[in-house]
Amino acid sequence: MGNNKRPLILGVGGTPRNGSSTERALAVCLAAAAAEGADTVMISGPDLMLPMYNPGQAPNTPAAERLIDLYRRCDGIVIASPAYHGSLSGLVKNALDYAEELRSSERVYFDGVAIGLIATAAGWQATGQTLAALRSIAHALRGWPTPMGAALNTATKLFDDAGQCTDLSSRFQLETVGQQVVRFSRMSEAVLRLEQEIVR
């Protein structure tokens, strides 16, 4: 990411259903990232319907190859998952498993990449557990989870029919996550440039 290049922030998450609460939360977060000067791409809804990841077998669908390419090129990531039985959904976990294809890349996995996290559930307990699980995965993939993680209780109505977040607390969390991912991606790039200048 050069001095004038807009960072690319990738959003991954939601459910197979278009317009789910988790997808809407991710969209609000990415809109905040875009307002910070980032380019954004969202993988959600039917785009999450990927073949079960099989280690050692090359991805054989355009959707899987596109996801891996975005993983490789992105400067920051936002992961959003509904809470299923106290943890992230299998669909989101499967999408993250494709990051294994970056094990031999120049940037291994998400090494040094800012990662924003969103958990949604019809209750507070499940959001906390799911957010903790997402943080553990981000660490395992060598990413930097942002200080703010968004935990949304969807037992109450949070979004209007247009997808706008009408709950002030939830909107604050989502927008802060989006802003932090962009800001930290820029800081990471600045540190990398400084290290390269010192080496030269």
Side-chain angles (χ1 to χ4, degrees):
M1 183 171 58
N3 290 334
N4 299 316
K5 180 185 172 185
R6 293 166 62 91
L8 174 62
I9 307 301
L10 171 63
V12 178
T15 74
R17 177 173 58 86
N18 282 322
S20 67
S21 295
T22 309
E23 181 180 308
R24 291 183 174 192
L26 182 57
V28 171
C29 185
L30 291 178
E36 282 286 309
D39 292 327
T40 65
V41 178
M42 183 164 67
I43 302 294
S44 190
D47 291 338
L48 288 171
M49 298 295 289
L50 302 165
M52 187 63 68
Y53 179 69
N54 187 357
Q57 180 175 316
N60 57 4
T61 69
E65 291 174 354
R66 176 174 179 252
L67 177 63
I68 294 165
D69 178 63
L70 287 168
Y71 280 160
R72 189 171 283 116
R73 292 191 295 112
C74 71
D75 301 298
I77 304 172
V78 179
I79 304 168
S81 178
Y84 286 175
H85 310 123
S87 190
L88 70 159
S89 74
L91 206 62
V92 172
K93 178 61 167 63
N94 185 54
L96 292 172
D97 286 343
Y98 276 89
E100 180 62 20
E101 294 300 304
L102 277 64
R103 63 189 177 277
S104 300
S105 296
E106 182 177 352
R107 183 184 74 192
V108 179
Y109 301 130
F110 302 141
D111 188 25
V113 175
I115 301 181
L117 304 170
I118 301 168
T120 65
W124 290 117
Q125 179 174 328
T127 61
Q129 292 176 186
T130 302
L131 200 55
L134 288 170
R135 284 190 185 279
S136 294
I137 292 170
H139 282 297
L141 291 170
R142 305 187 189 184
W144 292 0
T146 58
M148 174 65 82
L152 275 58
N153 185 345
T154 57
T156 57
K157 185 176 175 63
L158 303 180
F159 302 94
D160 62 20
D161 292 339
Q164 298 300 310
C165 187
T166 56
D167 180 76
L168 292 179
S169 174
S170 298
R171 188 168 75 232
F172 171 79
Q173 293 180 67
L174 295 170
E175 290 178 348
T176 301
V177 169
Q179 292 161 0
Q180 288 184 348
V181 168
V182 176
R183 292 169 186 172
F184 291 168
S185 70
R186 286 184 170 137
M187 284 190 286
S188 177
E189 178 64 18
V191 169
L192 180 61
R193 287 199 306 270
L194 180 60
E195 290 175 344
Q196 291 172 342
E197 290 173 6
I198 291 173
V199 170
R200 286 198 295 267

